[in-house]
Each structure stands twice: as structure tokens, then as C-alpha cells.
Amino acid sequence: LVQVVESGGGTVQTGGSLRLSCTVSGLTVGSYAMGWFRQGLGKERQGVSCITGTSGSTYYAASAQGRFTISRDNGKNTLYLQMNSLKPEDTAMYYCAAGTGCYLNSNVGLVAGLQYSGQGTQVTVSS
């Protein structure tokens, strides 16, 4: 049984930082493409960042580039998303995802071949 559990969300002011964590059981994070996507209220799902399973190459949506950093700890089987310089438009539910690869061009930052995701953690950025 695969379980994906996100944590670390909260409410911060504009310019603040948060670190999201994704603890996974039942699969090895280093063997899957892992990533984060978000969905704001009434908005479409948006890829944020993705890291490939083998090489560990990282990809970011334009909105996340330069502000967010994706990483993983294979020993803890955990994925992270460090978010700095947060903006009100970053407000959304953030989900951790595991799949077969990372989109490279259109939809960059989104996990391809989504296989597993969690229940999400809410991030709210106040102005």
C-alpha cells in the first residue's frame, strides 16, 4: 500500500518562507519521478516542480523558478519543497505526486504519468 502524506503548509505573509514535506511509504522516492503540483480555489491544477528518479534532474514552472527548490532525502524517503519569497498568488493546496517522469516543455514542473498523490497541504499567503 502506497501512502503519500504532505505536511508543512500554513499561513505566511508576503515574502515569507515555508518548507513542505512529503513522506512516502510503499515506494522509493529515488526510483520515481516526484513532484509538487498545486490547485487554488476555482483554478486548474498547476505543476510547480518535478525531480526525476534516476538522475535527480529538477524542473520548475516559471512561477516557481528562482523562488522554490525541490529536493529529496532518499534515506528518509521524503520529498521537500522549499518555498521562499512567497506571494499571494502562491496560495493553493499543494500536493505531492509520484509518476513516471517530468514534463520538459509544456507543463514543465508537472509530474507525467501520475500514479500516486496525497491529500495535500494548504498554503496561504497573506498580502
Side-chain angles (χ1 to χ4, degrees):
L1 176 65
V2 175
Q3 289 187 311
V4 179
V5 180
E6 302 94 338
S7 62
T11 300
V12 297
Q13 292 186 330
T14 297
S17 298
L18 284 172
R19 188 175 83 153
L20 306 184
S21 298
C22 172
T23 302
V24 182
S25 60
L27 64 82
T28 302
V29 297
S31 299
Y32 281 76
M34 300 290 301
W36 296 89
F37 66 90
R38 66 189 184 186
Q39 189 161 18
L41 194 62
K43 297 182 180 180
E44 293 185 354
R45 177 183 297 183
Q46 179 187 33
V48 176
S49 183
C50 185
I51 182 168
T52 60
T54 50
S55 65
S57 298
T58 57
Y59 302 91
Y60 297 92
S63 59
Q65 187 73 46
R67 299 188 299 128
F68 295 0
T69 303
I70 191 171
S71 63
R72 67 184 180 210
D73 185 328
N74 290 343
K76 295 182 179 179
N77 218 37
T78 300
L79 181 75
Y80 301 100
L81 184 68
Q82 177 67 44
M83 304 188 296
N84 299 327
S85 302
L86 283 162
K87 306 174 182 180
E89 50 264 43
D90 294 317
T91 295
M93 187 72 81
Y94 284 70
Y95 299 88
C96 176
T100 58
C102 298
Y103 281 104
L104 302 182
N105 297 309
S106 60
N107 295 317
V108 65
L110 194 64
V111 171
L114 179 65
Q115 295 178 299
Y116 305 101
S117 64
Q119 295 298 309
T121 185
Q122 177 67 37
V123 172
T124 302
V125 184
S126 60
S127 57

